[in-house]
Amino acid sequence: MDNQQKTTELCESAIDWALMNGLIMSSATGVGTFRSVNHAPFALFPTPIPRHCFSKAVDLQPLFNTVVHNISLDRTFLKEVMDKLSRVDDFVAKCYDIYNHVLEEGSTQPVTLGIHRSDYLLHQSGDADGNLEIQQVELNTISASFASLSSKTTELHKFLYNRANSSFKCHIPQNDSLIALTKGLARAWQLYGNKQAVVAVIVQPGEKNSFDQKWLEHVLLREYVLNVYIPSIDVYSRYGVASIRRTMAEIFEHGKLVGAERKLFLNEEFEVAVAYYRSGYAPNDYPTEN
């Protein structure tokens, strides 16, 4: 078997694995019960990264998490920065208006959850050694996506390594982003203190990357199971952490803040413990001034 044939067979195996194991995206907007899907884009082999670069990115992340959290609580610093930015960016100005409005009302939430993703590129220095280092491209603090599909991609690469029967030692690191993110959501839900409350996933209409989000929803429901007492029938039932999906427009139409603590209810039925935003980061996520 020549190399071209081996590569073709490996590609076919990779696509089959992706479709069977949920490494997928919608290829068109689903209507009713119809769903058209395709495998998510992936590289057949992982890109080699120097171990010291990978370790540095891992070590830096908790520090960036702390910085972002502390900045979010530093009203003086935010005012100094945002007063200037608001003059040149209308979208930023409107987001800042919402922030100030919430400050005036006073926060009723003692706990916040931050989900961050830091993106890097490898940079080769111009000196004689040509050393590689990581340079940060951006730090996502809203709609940090691909925790699920990236962990599935790691599983795919490990499968392909075994499938190829390579003589090289496998150095693909463990990727627990799916489990870690759902663990954070579950912990925030637990601290809210109402076992019948839900996690609200705030999504964009016609989202093609919905399966990256749905993996989180399914793991929350499957892995974080607890006994819940139902007074009306005097029994305990086993439930996972439930989630619902709503767009920004649906939140506006069906959401209501209730009581002095301003608890969020949707459709007068679902009390929201945690809001996980997969939208809201761009002007077109806000179709009206409402």
Side-chain angles (χ1 to χ4, degrees), residues 112-234:
T112 58
L113 170 68
I115 297 173
H116 310 142
R117 191 192 75 212
S118 191
D119 298 341
Y120 300 93
L121 288 175
L122 287 176
H123 174 73
Q124 187 171 35
S125 64
D127 57 28
D129 295 331
N131 294 322
L132 288 173
E133 293 291 343
I134 57 171
Q135 290 197 350
Q136 190 180 54
V137 178
E138 63 176 331
L139 176 59
N140 296 271
T141 60
I142 184 173
S143 191
S145 59
F146 291 112
S148 305
L149 295 193
S150 66
S151 65
K152 292 296 172 183
T153 302
T154 299
E155 292 177 23
L156 169 63
H157 285 151
K158 290 182 177 180
F159 163 78
L160 292 175
Y161 170 82
N162 294 326
R163 173 74 171 74
N165 195 24
S166 174
S167 59
F168 295 101
K169 186 177 180 180
C170 181
H171 291 288
I172 301 174
Q174 186 68 20
N175 185 341
D176 295 322
S177 56
L178 171 57
I179 300 302
L181 201 154
T182 50
K183 185 177 180 180
L185 290 169
R187 179 58 175 155
W189 172 88
Q190 181 186 38
L191 291 172
Y192 184 76
N194 181 352
K195 295 179 180 179
Q196 296 180 335
V198 301
V199 173
V201 185
I202 317 302
V203 300
Q204 295 173 324
E207 174 65 77
K208 292 186 177 182
N209 194 27
S210 60
F211 293 99
D212 181 60
Q213 304 159 7
K214 288 180 180 292
W215 266 113
L216 301 170
E217 298 170 36
H218 291 316
V219 172
L220 280 171
L221 195 62
R222 183 185 67 208
E223 300 295 332
Y224 296 93
V225 179
L226 67 162
N227 291 320
V228 177
Y229 177 65
I230 305 177
S232 59
I233 55 178
D234 193 31

